[in-house]
């Protein structure tokens, strides 16, 4: 094993000021082109789908229930959503999950209450989801957090509003490709710079970052095997049984057979995506083990560690910082667009169709 450098050795060769995330060591022309390209293509997909179809509420919200399993599955993966038990609701041909609430409990009031709670949750999640990627974006560009929120919000609303669920799903497919390429590039180049895969894992293990089977029962330990499994079970149980995004996607395919295929692809894809996500963290940790950039004043927030790593260590590859930021933004846009579309579906089915004016619109 290679001997790990101390913090002093890592910072003595170059003045600390050269590590700061400023314009001198930030986005170049190629990076800006890569990032802008991702945003433009996302918007163009929505406009194209809008011109091609999405003329009726049924097509806008459910894609005429004729979407293919693979793109729907990739869309679920990109949004980090699972939907195993949703197939039992496929035969009901639902658009809003709250329709099932009324069918099950025979209560319009309960359906309305659940609608309000779901909308509040979605709005809060969208706010957080829109703010989070701007931390990375503002770290490497001249865009302020407010301007970043404004730009991303407009683009996401644009293709979600024009193209409906088809645009959301096909944009997710594109963004999934960007995310996978970005993560694999960061992991591959990062491991190579750390001395290889084995050395990266060795450093992470020495720092206690590979502790997976801590069987402690203490409630004061943040992460143990048992509390992690318990959290995962109840979190996924909620997703399985009540997420509007899940129901809408699963019901957007033709048959239960296709729904099962969506879920099978989703399981394999999510495992791979989670592996790459966690490994990116291990690579960043191994690079700065014993030399915390935040302690040195090189970054202001812990959330900036991975963008800082890409700018600091991988900017020698033209376009790679731009690809990484596009990866972060792509995941955020996918989640936001999915939430927007699901909110529209609930608003249409749970509120608008109560009024004669909206019922006159044809689903044909």
């Amino acid at each position: 094993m290679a001997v790990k450098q101390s913090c002093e050795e890592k910072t003595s060769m170059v003045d600390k000021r050269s590590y700061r995330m400023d314009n001198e060591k930030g986005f170049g022309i190629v990076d800006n082109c890569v990032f802008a390209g991702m945003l433009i293509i996302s918007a163009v997909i929505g406009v194209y789908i809008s011109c091609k179809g999405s003329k009726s509420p049924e097509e806008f919200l459910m894609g005429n229930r004729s979407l293919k399993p693979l793109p729907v599955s990739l869309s679920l993966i990109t949004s980090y959503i699972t939907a195993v038990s949703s197939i039992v609701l496929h035969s009901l041909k639902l658009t809003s999950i709250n329709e099932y609430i009324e069918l099950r409990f025979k209560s319009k009031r309960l359906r309305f209450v659940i609608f309000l709670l779901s909308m509040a949750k979605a709005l809060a999640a969208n706010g957080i989801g829109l703010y989070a990627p701007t931390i990375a974006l503002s770290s490497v560009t001249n865009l302020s957090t407010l301007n970043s929120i404004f730009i991303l919000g407009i683009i996401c609303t644009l293709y979600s509003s024009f193209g409906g669920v088809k645009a959301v799903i096909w944009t997710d497919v594109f963004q999934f490709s960007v995310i996978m390429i970005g993560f694999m590039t960061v992991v591959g180049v990062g491991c190579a710079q750390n001395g290889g895969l084995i050395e990266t894992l060795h450093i992470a293990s020495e720092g206690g970052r590979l502790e997976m089977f801590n069987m402690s029962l203490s409630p004061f330990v943040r992460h143990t095997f048992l509390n992690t499994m318990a959290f995962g079970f109840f979190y996924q149980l909620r997703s399985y049984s009540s997420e509007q995004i899940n129901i809408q996607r699963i019901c957007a395919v033709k048959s239960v057979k296709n729904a099962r295929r969506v879920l099978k692809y989703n399981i394999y894809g999510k495992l791979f995506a989670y592996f790459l996500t966690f490994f990116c963290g291990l690579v960043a940790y191994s690079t700065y083990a014993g030399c915390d950039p935040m302690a040195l004043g090189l970054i202001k927030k812990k959330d900036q560690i991975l963008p800082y790593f890409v700018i600091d260590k991988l900017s020698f590859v033209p376009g790679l910082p731009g690809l990484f930021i596009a990866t972060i933004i792509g995941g955020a846009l996918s989640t936001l667009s999915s939430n927007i579309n699901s909110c529209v579906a609930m608003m249409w089915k749970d509120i608008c169709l109560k009024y004669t004016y909206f019922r006159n619109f044809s689903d044909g």
Side-chain angles (χ1 to χ4, degrees):
M1 296 290 182
V3 179
K4 185 168 55 178
Q5 288 181 303
S6 67
C7 183
E8 291 76 11
E9 290 172 328
K10 288 181 178 179
T11 56
S12 61
M13 294 181 288
V14 183
D15 189 271
K16 292 180 183 178
R17 289 174 297 177
S18 67
Y19 283 116
R20 292 190 181 275
M21 301 175 70
D22 53 19
N23 291 330
E24 295 179 1
K25 195 172 186 180
F27 261 29
I29 296 177
V30 178
D31 301 309
N32 283 303
C33 289
V34 171
F35 173 64
M38 191 275 295
L39 296 180
I40 292 171
I41 293 174
S42 297
V44 168
I45 291 174
V47 175
Y48 173 76
I49 296 295
S50 176
C51 295
K52 187 178 178 181
S54 297
K55 304 303 182 184
S56 70
E58 178 72 5
E59 185 175 0
F60 184 88
L61 297 175
M62 303 303 296
N64 283 334
R65 304 183 191 271
S66 61
L67 296 171
K68 302 297 183 183
L70 184 57
V72 174
S73 179
L74 294 180
S75 178
L76 287 173
I77 296 169
T78 313
S79 302
Y80 284 104
I81 299 294
T82 55
V84 172
S85 65
S86 301
I87 59 175
V88 300
L89 301 175
H90 185 277
S91 60
L92 296 178
K93 302 298 181 183
L94 303 178
T95 298
S96 168
I97 182 61
N98 300 324
E99 293 177 87
Y100 175 76
I101 297 296
E102 182 177 350
L103 290 172
R104 173 65 178 82
F105 297 102
K106 311 298 183 186
S107 173
K108 293 183 181 294
R109 290 183 178 179
L110 179 59
R111 175 179 176 176
F112 182 68
V113 170
I114 298 299
F115 163 78
L116 292 178
L117 293 175
S118 298
M119 291 295 290
K121 169 183 171 292
L123 291 174
N126 275 1
I128 297 171
L130 190 56
Y131 171 73
T134 63
I135 296 175
L137 191 57
S138 61
S139 298
V140 297
T141 69
N142 289 324
L143 291 173
S144 66
T145 299
L146 186 60
N147 288 336
S148 299
I149 291 174
F150 185 70
I151 293 172
L152 296 180
I154 288 179
I155 293 175
C156 187
T157 303
L158 178 69
Y159 72 76
S160 300
S161 301
F162 283 177
V165 73
K166 283 187 177 179
V168 171
I169 286 176
W170 283 109
T171 305
D172 283 349
V173 171
F174 164 69
Q175 290 164 353
F176 175 80
S177 302
V178 174
I179 291 170
M180 291 300 101
I181 293 172
F183 277 166
M184 287 188 290
T185 304
V186 169
V187 169
V189 178
C191 283
Q193 288 197 339
N194 285 341
L197 175 63
I198 302 300
E199 179 64 13
T200 298
L201 293 175
H202 175 69
I203 296 173
S205 178
E206 284 188 331
R209 294 309 191 271
L210 294 181
E211 186 181 28
M212 295 181 288
F213 298 102
N214 182 349
M215 307 305 290
S216 172
L217 298 177
S218 172
F220 301 104
V221 179
R222 182 174 183 179
H223 293 130
T224 67
F225 179 82
L226 295 178
N227 67 26
T228 301
M229 292 295 291
F231 168 79
F233 172 78
F234 288 107
Y235 175 81
Q236 300 299 343
L237 181 63
R238 177 193 61 82
S239 296
Y240 294 167
S241 59
S242 64
E243 281 287 350
Q244 168 64 24
I245 296 175
N246 294 349
I247 303 303
Q248 194 173 348
R249 303 294 177 82
I250 295 302
C251 291
V253 296
K254 289 183 178 180
S255 64
V256 172
K257 180 180 178 181
N258 281 347
R260 290 194 179 102
R261 290 175 62 189
V262 167
L263 298 172
K264 181 175 68 174
Y265 299 154
N266 181 251
I267 290 172
Y268 298 146
K270 276 197 67 176
L271 289 175
F272 184 59
Y274 276 134
F275 172 80
L276 289 178
T277 302
F278 296 150
F279 220 94
C280 280
L282 292 180
V283 167
Y285 173 81
S286 300
T287 300
Y288 298 113
C291 190
D292 185 0
M294 189 170 179
L296 294 173
L298 305 178
I299 58 175
K300 297 179 180 179
K301 301 176 182 178
K302 293 180 180 179
D303 300 319
Q304 294 177 327
I305 183 63
L306 203 53
Y308 173 76
F309 164 74
V310 173
I311 297 298
D312 181 30
K313 300 298 183 183
L314 309 183
S315 58
F316 70 92
V317 181
L320 185 54
L323 177 62
F324 175 75
I325 298 301
T327 296
I328 295 176
I329 301 303
L333 290 179
S334 171
T335 302
L336 289 170
S337 62
S338 297
N339 278 331
I340 289 173
N341 193 258
S342 66
C343 287
V344 171
M346 289 190 293
M347 181 68 73
W348 177 256
K349 280 290 187 176
D350 299 334
I351 301 297
C352 294
L353 289 185
K354 292 181 179 180
Y355 301 96
T356 304
Y357 174 79
F358 293 104
R359 288 199 298 269
N360 290 332
F361 285 93
S362 172
D363 276 343

